[in-house]
Amino acid sequence: MRGNLSAKDRLAVALDVTGRDAAMRMLDLVSDEVGVIKIGHRLAYSGGFGLIEELAKAGKQVFADLKLLDIDQTVAEGARSVAATGAAYLTVHAYPKAMHAAVEALGADPTMRLLGVTVLTSMDDEDLQEAGYAVPADQLVMTRALQAQQASMPGLICSALEASSLRAALGPNMLLVTPGIRFAGGEAGDQKRVVTPQKAIADGADILVMGRPITAADDPRAAARRAVEEIEAGLAERG
Ligand code: C5P
């Protein structure tokens, strides 16, 4: 699955807008330029949840970034319900019990790919310490990545800064999906571990998640095209 993704399929635009109308306006601009539409908390909780199924039915790959974490049965039932919408990807926090519950709920060879969220790319070592974790971010990412592999998760969300070390540790099959992507010279915002689209792909990331560099650009369509061009350049760099 990893190898045969087109450059467009490797770009997931984070539709982080409030309400369906704003989502439809942004989709009008970027939908043809990107392969994957990511719907996260902001849109899902402001009337956009139904768009997951609607866009999937219209043939789009939808990435339900709902970051599940709960007791096993609730995670399992949640994952099954999201799979029924036709979503292509669903995020689950990379806690072993949650990942095992979600993987078992979907059964063998599910169409929807589960992605384990290792450590949010807005978190650095200091933030983790404040949250009660006595390990640096890179170590926690690696621990959770190995736990995800043990749980038979098909993919991970991680920083592109970790893509090459994770690829080396996990082998060729794990799908690495990386947020925290910024064009050279762009605003980092609240993201603390950022990489350009070309470098992320060259370093082994499979799918890039980009929100504000596209949705807050003066010309979101042009920004999406630029991202796809950089992905192509990154693929060429990989050889
Ligand atoms: O606007 P920006 O490009 O920073 O958007 C990144 C998107 O990726 C947001 O929707 C955010 O919720 C999501 N995300 C992330 N870090 C993770 C998992 C998801 O930034 N570890």
Side-chain angles (χ1 to χ4, degrees):
M1 136 115 211
R2 283 190 50 239
N4 50 25
L5 293 172
S6 70
K8 265 192 191 176
D9 287 343
R10 292 172 185 276
L11 179 59
V13 71
L15 216 51
D16 292 331
V17 295
T18 302
R20 220 191 124 85
D21 292 350
M24 296 316 280
R25 281 195 298 274
M26 188 51 67
L27 279 170
D28 259 0
L29 293 174
V30 300
S31 184
D32 290 343
E33 309 300 331
V34 306
V36 185
I37 303 294
K38 185 173 91 70
I39 295 181
H41 293 179
R42 179 166 166 191
L43 178 55
Y45 296 147
S46 61
F49 189 86
L51 273 177
I52 299 175
E53 186 159 7
E54 244 174 80
L55 295 175
K57 283 212 169 107
K60 279 312 275 185
Q61 296 182 73
V62 184
F63 176 160
D65 188 10
L66 301 175
K67 297 190 179 68
L68 304 190
L69 179 60
D70 209 311
I71 59 170
D72 298 1
Q73 191 183 341
T74 303
V75 167
E77 285 165 356
R80 260 189 236 114
S81 299
V82 179
T85 66
Y89 301 98
L90 167 67
T91 45
V92 176
H93 278 291
Y95 283 68
K97 279 165 74 77
M99 294 191 288
H100 281 287
V103 167
E104 271 165 40
L106 298 188
D109 202 24
T111 4
M112 184 177 74
R113 310 258 157 188
L114 291 167
L115 304 172
V117 180
T118 54
V119 175
L120 295 172
T121 43
S122 58
M123 307 270 283
D124 61 14
D125 293 354
E126 213 177 301
D127 297 318
L128 283 175
Q129 205 171 9
E130 199 186 352
Y133 292 91
V135 286
D138 54 354
Q139 207 175 311
L140 187 57
V141 166
M142 188 57 77
T143 302
R144 290 185 170 168
L146 293 169
Q147 288 170 334
Q149 192 168 46
Q150 257 171 2
S152 301
M153 291 282 288
L156 285 176
I157 308 281
C158 59
S159 159
L161 294 171
E162 295 136 4
S164 56
S165 59
L166 287 176
R167 179 63 66 216
L170 302 171
N173 294 325
M174 186 68 86
L175 199 62
L176 299 180
V177 179
T178 63
I181 304 293
R182 293 291 179 268
F183 292 118
E187 294 266 325
D190 53 359
Q191 295 285 12
K192 292 196 172 150
R193 297 177 289 141
V194 301
V195 179
T196 65
Q198 179 167 345
K199 180 160 170 41
I201 290 289
D203 286 353
D206 296 304
I207 297 174
L208 311 184
V209 171
M210 292 182 77
R212 289 161 290 182
I214 292 175
T215 55
D218 290 341
D219 184 345
R221 195 192 309 263
R225 282 192 190 140
R226 178 178 172 193
V228 172
E229 279 163 21
E230 280 206 32
I231 290 172
E232 279 160 358
L235 287 170
E237 217 179 291
R238 268 195 213 172

